[in-house]
Amino acid sequence: MAKGKTTIVSMTGFVEYAKVFPENLDTGDFYEKTQGAYITNFYPEDDEGFKAFFDAGAPVASLGHDTIKIGNPAIASGKYLKLKRPHVHTTVPEWGGAPAVFDHTQGESLKKWSFADDGELGHGTKVTVKVSVWVDGKKSIQRLEKMAVLKHVEYDGSATGSAIDMDSF
């Protein structure tokens, strides 16, 4: 049995391409083994988010790829982390499934965000995420656990980037 240590990291920032509901689960070929994945590009509001993530033991690079990705310059620092969670975890079933998404647009609450009633999360939606970072020696696994929507940006299916007007940027 693994002896590693798990740290829960809380970060506030913005999401892009938020596929965090069963209704918009990413079912691409890359996630065939887990029957899909819940993923999002998460842009921490400030460098403290990155610092907390790496201080918890997340790797700066994995398999030759940087953990911090360069993304949309109109969102926060323009740098993001790819956060994900498998639809079906092949070893521990409770580690799979959609992350809990809460509606904090009117303040903290236990009200769940409804994809059908509240809508999909558009690019630039402000959220707080909780991510588990498990570390055992040089091994590290990161998993999106929960998300709280602080300020909703309506999803625009025709948009190819941010909800922020790039013409006036």
Side-chain angles (χ1 to χ4, degrees):
M1 180 168 191
K3 299 177 186 175
K5 176 186 173 198
T6 300
T7 303
I8 301 295
V9 178
S10 180
M11 301 177 282
T12 298
F14 306 90
V15 292
E16 180 183 51
Y17 303 110
K19 296 179 179 183
V20 294
F21 302 99
E23 294 90 343
N24 67 352
L25 168 74
D26 188 332
T27 57
D29 291 343
F30 186 76
Y31 301 113
E32 185 176 331
K33 184 177 175 183
T34 60
Q35 298 173 32
Y38 302 95
I39 62 171
T40 189
N41 295 349
F42 175 75
Y43 293 76
E45 188 171 47
D46 54 39
D47 287 340
E48 290 303 311
F50 289 119
K51 182 178 180 333
F53 188 69
F54 294 121
D55 284 352
V60 174
S62 179
L63 301 173
H65 301 281
D66 291 337
T67 302
I68 296 176
K69 311 289 186 195
I70 303 301
N72 188 331
I75 302 177
S77 69
K79 298 175 187 172
Y80 70 90
L81 302 167
K82 175 75 77 178
L83 301 180
K84 52 189 162 177
R85 179 180 179 93
H87 179 60
V88 175
H89 193 280
T90 56
T91 309
V92 184
E94 60 266 21
W95 288 352
V101 180
F102 296 94
D103 182 350
H104 285 196
T105 57
Q106 303 297 316
E108 284 190 32
S109 77
L110 294 176
K111 179 182 181 261
K112 294 277 184 103
W113 189 269
S114 167
F115 184 90
D117 298 333
D118 301 318
E120 199 163 345
L121 305 180
H123 301 323
T125 294
K126 187 172 185 177
V127 300
T128 294
V129 295
K130 295 215 181 232
V131 179
S132 62
V133 179
W134 175 82
V135 180
D136 186 7
K138 291 185 177 185
K139 298 179 205 166
S140 178
I141 299 171
Q142 307 80 48
R143 184 177 63 246
L144 177 61
E145 298 290 344
K146 298 177 184 178
M147 179 182 290
V149 177
L150 305 175
K151 184 175 180 197
H152 182 235
V153 172
E154 191 172 321
Y155 175 74
D156 176 1
S158 66
T160 57
S162 168
I164 298 166
D165 181 6
M166 292 302 289
D167 293 331
S168 64
F169 174 68

